[in-house]
Amino acid sequence: MTYAIEVDEVHKRYGDVHAVRGLSFQVEQGEFFGLLGPNGAGKSTLINMASGLVRASSGHIRIQGHDVERDYRQARRQIGVVPQEVVFDPFFTVREALELQLGYMGLARTPEQQAWLDELLDVLDLQGKANSRVKALSGGMKRRVLIAQALVHRPPVVVLDEPTAGVDVELRQILWRFAQQLHADGHTIVLTTHYLEEAESLCDRIAIINHGELQALESKRELINRHPYRLLNLWFDGDVSLPSALEGKRVAGQQSDGRTTLKLHKTQDNIGDVIEQLRGQGAVIQDLETDSPGLEEVFIEMTQRPHKQSQQGGEQ
Ligand code: ADP
C-alpha cells in the first residue's frame, strides 16, 4: 500500500547541527496526524524536506509514493504546506496570487480548478477580497490567502505548520473547521502545533520528536495511557500543610478554585494510603476527584528527558 508520507532513515545536518537524526515513520492515507515537539526539535526541517524546500543529508521521503528528490514534480503536487510566515508577492490581487500559484505548480486553469479556487475563497471567507491587492489586506486576511495558496492544487496531503500561532479566535475556528472538512473529504492532514489541546482534540495519531529523533508514535489514546501518573485533586477545609512525603508530589501552581493537586504514580501510590496520611496530618477533605493526565503532561514528560548531546545552536 502507498503511504501518504514515508520518512525513511532521514538525516539532516546544517554544518555541525545534526537537526534530524535518522527519522523513520509513515503517515497513512487519510490520517489526521500530529507532529509535536519542542522548539528546535526538527519539525520545520522535516516539513521543509517533505515539501522539497530543503534537501536531506541522507535518507528518503516519499509523498504518495513519489520520492521528493528523484520525482520532485510529482511529489510536490501531492503535498500542500501551509507555512507559518507570509511569503507571497503583495502586489497581486488575491485571485491573481492564487492563479499564479497554480501556474508554479504547472497546472492549467481548468473549470474544475477554478471551481476549487472559488470553493477555497468561500470557505476561507475571502470571496469579498478576491479582487483586492494582497498588500492591502489585514494580517489575518493575508494568512487566509496563504492557506488558499498552499491548497490551490488540491493536494491529497495537507501539512498545517503551526497554523494557529498568533491568529485570532475567529480565524482559528475557521481553520479548524476547514482542517476537519478537508479530513472528512479524504485528505491526509499533518498538523504541527504548540497548542497541545488542539492536537489532542483533532489528531488520530501523534508523533513526538525531540532533538531530531522520534520519541513516540502512537494513537492519542495509547500515548495518554502510557503516562504512568494520574492526578488527585483535593479540596481541604482550611489551610493544610502536606506531609513531606506528599509535598514532593504536589503539582506546583495555585489553582483558582482552591484545589490542591497531587501527581500520583498509577501503581506505586495508593490513593487510600495518601488519604490516610492526610487525615493523620489533621486534614479535613471536603472533596476529591481523580483526573487522567492530558497530552500536555505526557508531552512535557517525554520532551524533558535529558539528552546525550545538548542541543546545539544555529540560525534558521
Ligand atoms: P522546530 O521546527 O522543531 O522548532 P527546526 O527544524 O526549526 O525545529 O530546527 C531544528 C534544529 O536545526 C535547530 O537546532 C535549528 O537551530 C537548526 N536549524 C534549522 N534550520 C537551520 C538552518 N537553515 N541553518 C542552520 N541550522 C538550522
Side-chain angles (χ1 to χ4, degrees), residues 137-163:
L137 300 182
S138 68
M141 283 291 168
K142 282 187 182 136
R143 194 83 183 237
R144 294 179 198 204
V145 179
L146 207 61
I147 295 162
Q149 216 177 17
L151 302 178
V152 284
H153 55 302
R154 210 171 192 168
V157 182
V158 176
V159 179
L160 303 164
D161 189 9
E162 294 277 353

Side-chain angles (χ1 to χ4, degrees), residues 12-15 17-20 36-48 54 84 161-162 192 194 209 212 311-316:
K12 177 65 189 177
R13 289 186 180 80
Y14 294 106
V17 180
H18 197 169
V20 171
L36 305 185
N39 271 332
K43 304 180 296 295
S44 301
T45 300
L46 183 64
I47 288 168
N48 289 338
V54 166
Q84 295 175 30
D161 189 9
E162 294 277 353
T192 78
H194 272 92
I209 64 171
Q311 213 176 326
Q312 301 170 53
E315 291 307 309
Q316 205 167 348

Side-chain angles (χ1 to χ4, degrees), residues 221-240:
R221 208 36 35 236
E222 281 168 338
L223 201 55
I224 291 171
N225 284 345
R226 207 145 72 93
H227 194 64
Y229 296 98
R230 68 181 147 197
L231 302 174
L232 175 63
N233 294 317
L234 296 150
W235 286 264
F236 297 118
D237 208 358
D239 283 342
V240 170

Side-chain angles (χ1 to χ4, degrees), residues 48-64:
N48 289 338
M49 290 189 288
S51 64
L53 283 179
V54 166
R55 272 179 93 98
S57 305
S58 64
H60 297 280
I61 301 182
R62 283 175 281 272
I63 312 294
Q64 300 281 113

Side-chain angles (χ1 to χ4, degrees), residues 290-305:
T290 59
D291 197 4
S292 291
L295 196 54
E296 178 123 26
E297 284 81 7
V298 178
F299 178 78
I300 290 168
E301 182 106 342
M302 291 201 139
T303 56
Q304 284 184 349
R305 283 182 195 149

